[in-house]
Amino acid sequence: MNFHNPAQPYFRSRANTHSLQQLHKQKVFSLSRDRKVWFSAGKMLLVLCPMLLAVNLWLASSFNKLSQSVQVLENVQHELIESQITLRIKKDQLFSPERVRVIAAEKLALNIPEKEQVKVF
């Protein structure tokens, strides 16, 4: 194994201090010099804020209409499910074996045969 590293470490040279002092002395951000920038930003906000407010109000009203229509559809669905349950109960009552026997005896004059009447071949 090689434990000796013959390469010397490289350190980056430091920037000139004179240029750093000049950058520090300059005023990069000044409110008075950037008045035009602030004025144009204010104009943009004055235009964009009402537009965003209008879009927000439109989306809110659309969401309210959508939620109301969903609520109406859910109510109709619950009513249909309840009517389906009642119709199934009525169907089960109409097709019950006792009801079929009563209708057969009344309308068709059919009766349950007695044991002596049934002949098995």
Side-chain angles (χ1 to χ4, degrees):
M1 288 195 173
N2 186 6
F3 290 109
H4 179 64
N5 191 1
Q8 296 295 325
Y10 174 75
F11 293 106
R12 198 172 100 195
S13 64
R14 195 162 175 185
N16 189 3
T17 57
H18 186 273
S19 62
L20 288 176
Q21 287 175 356
Q22 285 180 349
L23 283 175
H24 184 61
K25 287 180 183 177
Q26 288 180 354
K27 290 185 178 181
V28 176
F29 184 72
S30 173
L31 293 177
S32 62
R33 292 175 73 193
D34 295 333
R35 189 171 189 169
K36 289 182 181 180
V37 174
W38 284 107
F39 189 65
S40 62
K43 281 184 185 178
M44 289 297 291
L45 286 176
L46 191 64
V47 170
L48 287 179
C49 284
M51 287 175 54
L52 290 176
L53 180 65
V55 168
N56 186 22
L57 290 174
W58 176 71
L59 287 175
S61 67
S62 299
F63 180 76
N64 285 337
K65 288 177 185 177
L66 183 65
S67 64
Q68 287 176 354
S69 64
V70 167
Q71 185 66 31
V72 167
L73 289 176
E74 286 177 352
N75 290 341
V76 168
Q77 181 185 13
H78 288 297
E79 289 174 4
L80 289 174
I81 289 172
E82 289 176 3
S83 66
Q84 183 182 17
I85 290 171
T86 56
L87 288 174
R88 282 186 181 174
I89 290 171
K90 286 182 183 179
K91 179 185 142 195
D92 290 341
Q93 288 174 350
L94 289 174
F95 287 117
S96 67
E98 295 121 14
R99 175 84 174 150
V100 172
R101 285 186 196 126
V102 168
I103 291 175
E106 290 177 357
K107 292 187 178 180
L108 301 174
L110 296 176
N111 293 322
I112 298 175
E114 295 179 12
K115 290 184 181 182
E116 298 132 5
Q117 294 176 340
V118 178
K119 295 180 183 178
V120 180
F121 296 106

